[in-house]
Amino acid sequence: MAQFIDPKSGEVLSLPLQSETSGLNFGDAKMTHISYKKEFSDIRQVTSLRLLVDFAREHDIPALEILKGTELDLDDIEDPYCEIQVWQELRAIQNLLEIDDDPANGVILGMRQHLTCYGTLGFAMMASRTLEQALTIGAKFYKISLWINEVSVVRDPDTIKFVILGHKLPPFSQHFLATRGMAALVTWVQELTNSEVYPCQTSFKNDRPDNMDEVGKAFGTETLFGQKNYSISFNRSLFRMQLKFDDRWSRMRLEDKLSNTLERRHSSTKNRVKEMLGRVRQGGVISAVAVGHRQAALAVMCRG
């Protein structure tokens, strides 16, 4: 049973859903296939999924095992113009972790997310005046990036800390996505500054792994384990450095293109949700009250 709140009356609307299950376990209860797709339906590039498949192949895991349940095939991920939804990448991540749950997997894959993997966004960041401006652009268009986590920024006199949030994500994915994002951030900083700079400090929620090689390679030596949050801190002076490829006019053109892409993807997501509600309604499973309020429910589902 999916529930939505009417923004005007505050009434809770219940939409009975069909019983087809996704097979994805969110804690103790399985979500329905339709509900799961709605919750993580944002559109993104296929790039990070392609990197995941390449990583699996290197470890003798068949690509089709990673793509199981994603509704994607090898031709899809080889298409340079392919776009996927977040739920498809989450399913692929679960498939990998069910076969190989090494806690360093996310770190390794994050180190492979070079700026060029981000297409227009990566080039807009490279054309920025400073590292702070580059990361501000990355945050502004994070839904276009390969990130899934939300991030909180803490500014201290000498450092800037990025706290990686994962509480809204499926439990099975939280460590993988946090460490992948943190390693990707280090890769960005090193490529933007053209220097082998490392974080002042990195914190993980998990216990210290037996194999520290990949962690040390990505984050240096100032790494803490068993902490309350995943976080990564850099020296604040880094963020004032002028970048090598600073180009205001190119950056403005690229940001305009990114805004158009974001709007197109947002519109596409709303259309998919509308079609989803239509399919459920045709099956005769929405109550009369829910049908009367479907536009309000749709507005809540597609907010933001």
Side-chain angles (χ1 to χ4, degrees), residues 202-217:
T202 309
S203 298
F204 294 87
K205 292 176 71 174
N206 63 299
D207 295 331
R208 182 185 178 91
D210 294 332
N211 182 358
M212 281 288 294
D213 292 346
E214 297 299 337
V215 174
K217 190 186 303 181

Side-chain angles (χ1 to χ4, degrees), residues 142-201:
Y142 89 95
K143 286 192 174 183
I144 294 178
S145 75
L146 306 184
W147 276 67
I148 296 179
N149 297 75
E150 295 179 358
V151 180
S152 176
V153 180
V154 180
R155 298 174 182 269
D156 293 323
D158 298 321
T159 63
I160 293 183
K161 178 191 288 187
F162 300 88
V163 180
I164 316 302
L165 308 175
H167 57 285
K168 296 181 181 179
L169 297 170
F172 71 81
S173 70
Q174 291 179 10
H175 172 77
F176 177 91
L177 290 174
T179 56
R180 186 181 72 173
M182 292 160 67
L185 183 57
V186 175
T187 299
W188 291 3
V189 170
Q190 291 182 347
E191 292 179 344
L192 287 166
T193 60
N194 194 31
S195 61
E196 196 172 332
V197 62
Y198 288 96
C200 302
Q201 189 178 86

Side-chain angles (χ1 to χ4, degrees), residues 128-139:
S128 297
R129 181 171 49 84
T130 63
L131 181 60
E132 182 168 11
Q133 186 178 57
L135 295 181
T136 298
I137 291 173

Side-chain angles (χ1 to χ4, degrees), residues 9 21 32 42 44 48 52 55 81 92 119 122 145 154 180 190 254:
S9 67
T21 59
T32 66
D42 284 343
R44 58 199 279 105
S48 51
L52 193 73
F55 173 82
Y81 299 101
S145 75
V154 180
R180 186 181 72 173
Q190 291 182 347
L254 291 165

